[in-house]
Amino acid sequence: MTYLPQLHRILVEGAARLERGEFEPSGEPAQRGGRFARALRRLKGHRLFIFAGVAVLLAGSAGGAIALLGQPSAPLNGKASIPAGSPASPLGAIRYNVSVTPDLTGGAVGWCISEREQSPSQIPFGNVAAMRTLLLDVRASLDAAVNREVGQGVVRLRGSSTPVTLTPARAQRIEAATDARVRRLLNGLTQPARVRRSASFQRPYRVLLAPLVSGRAAGGADFATSSCGHVSTSGNPFVGSEASSGGEVSATTASTIYLTTSQVAAVRISPSLTVFTRAEHQLPDGYRIAVVVRETPPHRPTVPGLSGGRTPTALDRQGNPIAVHSSTVTANEPAVFWQRSPMRSRVPTSPPAAACEISTSALPGVELFSGQIVEHLRGFPQLTSKTFLSCAYTEFVYDGEGIQAAILLDAQHPGTPPAPLPDSTQITRQPQTLNEAAIRGSGTQFVPQAVAGSGTPFITGRRVGNAWLVVESTSPLAQRLAVLNRLGTCVSTAGTCSPP
């Protein structure tokens, strides 16, 4: 083993010199790299040993994880990556945010994986090349949309409310008018920068572009998706996943998110794409996550490695596939839905007697909407990690703000201390109260518009015995705390609470 330290020193020195560019592009060593070349020539009689030594060094580094080939997971918050050779969107890279939060729906067990994507909020008037690309993309998008609607009764003529069938001749006239309009705007980009900054110059561009870039270019509107009910079960290294894809005038984006157990070092998403998992303090119960968010121009709708239809493979630290066994766990408790003004005659107008109860009687002027409530608690001891069971859920409006409230129990053994709220911070002077950001999008439970609100929602919770009482809202923290401190609760793991 006399050569191993020398080999290790040579490899480290050579890697450092390569990073500093101290070797010629042709591969021949420069004068300063002669020592490295001479050392390798001295060892040329020991090639078998060299290869074996390299294997030993690799196997002993980072627990063998270096043997895996792949790319690192993206962080939970950042900008979409642009594949090599692809120009960025004329509006700039899309920003995204990923969160893992408890599912508050009554009877639900597990986690919600949510993602929000947000485009830059400004039309790039200062970037002539980006504006030109954006106008050409808009024209191509409008032409394609018109051609798709030929023969359909979707066109409304000015002064008429009756849809008119779009004939090929009418479609050609619309395309010609669009082409002339875009040409005028393209010619306008030759104006000096001081002219392009004026409101009168920008007005016709905003009229065309703002409504067509998915509503994003003018106001920075965002798009969110969520999937819920993700739990950890025996024999399944995948806790849950979330994927989305979509195109707009300015870009096509695709994302894939895998929430895994701690044994998963990487996820093979496709033959050409393997992603290392990462641990984040925002994740619950020591889970790991693999995140990929990519963006391509609209004329290249296929995002490499993220096309659907493939089953992912979980890999351990040595790169070996981890077997997945099917699970029959139904991750929810039966819950009764109630609605203050029911759409159907058999829906209760108030929560019945059940195992959990949320009381809003101390909130003057509260306007109740609906909720779900679990009548009898069973628990799910077959789950392999701590998660939450929502045994009561209520939607209401208080002081003009939409609020969602829930009682969260330990899902494995209701009545035992529940896990901490993930990605949460302690409220100053209220040590039993925590606060965390949340994202909600399509795929979650129905939320009335008055309750859904706008902006970034937050989950704020306090411990009540062996349970969490939480509220979710976009309202200010002071109001969430005021509501949280006035809500009443009852939890009965062996029977039911009295009707409110």
Side-chain angles (χ1 to χ4, degrees):
M1 300 297 291
T2 56
Y3 286 102
L4 187 56
Q6 185 178 5
L7 174 62
H8 182 270
R9 185 175 62 255
I10 290 171
L11 291 175
V12 171
E13 179 184 355
R17 289 178 178 271
L18 284 172
E19 287 183 351
R20 293 195 300 266
E22 296 181 4
F23 295 108
E24 298 295 332
S26 63
E28 292 295 326
Q31 183 176 1
R32 288 178 295 175
R35 179 184 172 191
F36 179 71
R38 289 193 300 271
L40 287 180
R41 284 196 294 270
R42 286 198 304 270
L43 294 175
K44 66 180 181 179
H46 304 276
R47 291 176 182 174
L48 180 60
F49 170 78
I50 291 175
F51 293 135
V54 170
V56 170
L57 291 173
L58 293 180
S61 302
I66 198 171
L68 283 172
L69 297 178
Q71 69 178 52
S73 167
L76 296 184
N77 305 290
K79 290 184 178 181
S81 64
I82 310 297
S86 297
S89 161
L91 291 178
I94 286 179
R95 298 196 65 87
Y96 70 91
N97 176 267
V98 176
S99 71
V100 179
T101 54
D103 189 351
L104 304 188
T105 312
V109 174
W111 307 100
C112 293
I113 304 174
S114 306
E115 180 198 7
R116 171 178 290 169
E117 295 179 0
Q118 185 175 25
S119 288
S121 59
Q122 300 296 325
I123 298 175
F125 287 105
N127 187 332
V128 173
M131 287 292 294
R132 183 175 291 110
T133 299
L134 188 58
L135 288 169
L136 294 175
D137 288 345
V138 166
R139 181 174 63 185
S141 178
L142 289 175
D143 289 346
V146 169
N147 289 328
R148 285 195 302 268
E149 301 301 337
V150 171
Q152 306 296 319
V154 295
V155 176
R156 297 180 185 273
L157 299 180
R158 182 172 300 178
S160 172
S161 60
T162 304
V164 177
T165 300
L166 183 61
T167 63
R170 183 173 284 121
Q172 289 181 357
R173 291 196 293 271
I174 293 174
E175 290 178 1
T178 300
D179 185 66
R181 184 180 182 184
V182 170
R183 277 203 309 272
R184 289 196 299 272
L185 296 178
L186 287 171
N187 291 334
L189 296 178
T190 60
Q191 296 290 333
R194 58 179 178 79
V195 175
R196 297 199 307 272
R197 288 193 293 267
S198 67
S200 59
F201 174 88
Q202 294 180 6
R203 187 173 300 112
Y205 294 87
R206 294 187 185 278
V207 170
L208 176 66
L209 298 178
L212 294 176
V213 188
S214 297
R216 300 182 179 189
D222 54 22
F223 172 74
T225 60
S226 293
S227 59
C228 298
H230 304 298
V231 295
S232 176
T233 57
S234 178
N236 190 354
F238 290 106
V239 179
S241 63
E242 171 69 19
S244 66
S245 62
E248 57 181 52
V249 172
S250 63
T252 296
T253 60
S255 65
T256 296
I257 303 163
Y258 290 101
L259 186 66
T260 73
T261 58
S262 59
Q263 69 185 120
V264 180
V267 177
R268 183 181 296 140
I269 299 175
S270 70
S272 62
L273 180 60
T274 297
V275 180
F276 295 112
T277 60
R278 61 189 295 160
E280 294 279 4
H281 72 274
Q282 299 98 317
L283 301 178
D285 201 50
Y287 290 154
R288 300 179 68 85
I289 200 165
V291 177
V292 182
V293 184
R294 287 185 175 176
E295 177 181 320
T296 61
H299 58 275
R300 292 181 58 181
T302 301
V303 180
L306 292 184
S307 55
R310 298 186 179 94
T311 301
T313 302
L315 305 176
D316 62 20
R317 291 182 178 275
Q318 285 71 44
N320 300 316
I322 301 174
V324 177
H325 304 292
S326 60
S327 173
T328 58
V329 174
T330 302
N332 66 277
E333 291 273 25
V336 176
F337 174 78
W338 61 270
Q339 190 171 24
R340 181 50 59 95
S341 300
M343 305 289 291
R344 300 185 301 275
S345 59
R346 295 187 178 182
V347 174
T349 58
S350 61
C356 298
E357 172 192 325
I358 299 175
S359 174
T360 59
S361 59
L363 296 173
V366 67
E367 183 182 358
L368 287 171
F369 279 97
S370 61
Q372 298 100 24
I373 198 162
V374 174
E375 294 185 287
H376 304 287
L377 296 174
R378 298 173 301 166
F380 297 84
Q382 64 270 47
L383 300 180
T384 57
S385 64
K386 278 185 171 293
T387 186
F388 297 116
L389 159 65
S390 175
C391 63
Y393 171 77
T394 303
E395 301 171 346
F396 56 91
V397 170
Y398 177 68
D399 197 20
E401 298 286 350
I403 308 287
Q404 302 167 65
I407 296 176
L408 303 179
L409 305 177
D410 180 83
Q412 291 172 302
H413 306 286
T416 61
L421 294 176
D423 193 22
S424 56
T425 55
Q426 191 177 85
I427 302 298
T428 305
R429 289 183 243 177
Q430 297 192 35
Q432 295 298 311
T433 305
L434 301 177
N435 191 54
E436 67 169 318
I439 303 173
R440 289 292 181 268
S442 58
T444 58
Q445 69 272 15
F446 168 75
V447 179
Q449 185 61 37
V451 175
S454 60
T456 300
F458 284 84
I459 295 177
T460 305
R462 65 180 173 91
R463 289 291 297 269
V464 286
N466 286 328
W468 285 102
L469 172 63
V470 300
V471 295
E472 179 178 339
S473 177
T474 58
S475 62
L477 174 61
Q479 186 181 27
R480 296 198 304 274
L481 291 174
V483 170
L484 192 65
N485 292 330
R486 294 180 183 179
L487 289 176
T489 63
C490 173
V491 177
S492 177
T493 58
T496 59
C497 298
S498 61

